[in-house]
Amino acid sequence: MSGTPAFLSAAEVERYLSSSSLLLPPLEKALANFSSGSEGGVVQPVRTVVPVAKHRGFLGVMPAYSANEDALTTKLVTFYEGVSPTSTLPSHQATVLLFEPSNGSLLLVMDGSIITAKRTAAVSAIATKFLKPPSSEVLCILGAGVQAYSHYEIFTEQFSFKEVRIWNRTKKNAEKFAQTVKGDVRVCSSVQEAVTGADVIITVTMATKPILFGEWVKPGAHINAIGASRPDWRELDDEIMKNCVLYVDSREAALKESGDVILSGAEIFAELGEVVKGVKPAHREKTTVFKSLGMAVEDTVAAKLVYDSWSSGK
């Protein structure tokens, strides 16, 4: 490695990745490539997670190589469930390292928080494009953290909802969300109130036990389940999981990391990449769940976009 690699702050990454919609085409391609096995050119192991039990935290290591972009990255992400709601530190913090794939030298270090938020929301938008009911008027977001904001941004760009609702365990954070974002958002006092009649539901919570119950969910609704990324954590109850058509980003990861999948015993119907490729159908007429755990190749795609934009402007 020659010289010291540059570091891009969260603000700089935001500048080079200003619109989440820029991620949609390359992420669709990456999802399809991932679900094509060795032919797709994506090399990505399931993330390694190191528990930091003393402090109720976790360190995740997420490497990937994508032949389509000829990009090699590793994301280091920490997740601390014990972070106080009043803390200035987010529950998730991340750093992405981008390497020169031809020789292994480190090209760029960048804050990973913006990348994580935007690529996760973009993949949810891709899933929703394929799986939402044909006439979707009501969007519901459960949770009011970073992912709630990134999902709201791209969902209101890509789709036309007549009503948006939000619920959060700490109501003042939901009220702050509604006051901060562009557009009208209805703050709800309970999960049941928020999800009743909703066509598309996004769960981006810190829940470790189910908060969303099947009896409240409109038949034919689509759910993007983003939280509960540990094998003993849940956001959705068994009724939802066992009666939905279940899509995931990665079968291997879902069967290792998702408490909603593992503890319910729900059967995985397809990976999202298989739907993108057209080898598995999108059952829009049925209740669908997209269980998102986040994949390293998504970070790779986003980091390469940031790098290309940064390097062209140097």
Side-chain angles (χ1 to χ4, degrees), residues 279-308:
V279 299
K280 285 290 184 75
H283 286 294
R284 308 168 70 107
E285 76 285 359
K286 299 181 180 179
T287 302
T288 55
V289 170
F290 170 56
K291 179 54 206 172
S292 171
L293 288 157
M295 299 198 298
V297 71
E298 299 163 6
D299 301 311
T300 303
V301 166
K304 185 62 162 54
L305 278 175
V306 170
Y307 175 76
D308 288 346

Side-chain angles (χ1 to χ4, degrees), residues 117 120-128 132 138-156 159 161 163-168 177 191 194-195 198-206 211-212 217 221-227 235-236 288-292:
T120 304
V123 171
S124 295
I126 292 167
T128 302
K132 72 178 179 68
V138 180
L139 171 67
C140 168
I141 302 174
L142 304 180
V146 171
Q147 287 288 353
Y149 285 89
S150 62
H151 276 75
Y152 180 86
E153 176 190 359
I154 195 166
F155 272 63
T156 52
F159 309 108
F161 293 101
E163 182 183 3
V164 181
R165 307 171 188 164
I166 189 166
W167 169 88
N168 191 67
F177 179 98
V191 174
V195 304
D199 300 292
V200 176
I201 300 169
I202 302 169
T203 61
V204 281
T205 74
M206 299 280 285
I211 58 161
L212 181 59
V217 176
H222 171 62
I223 301 167
N224 296 296
I226 314 302
E235 281 188 313
L236 315 182
T288 55
V289 170
F290 170 56
K291 179 54 206 172
S292 171

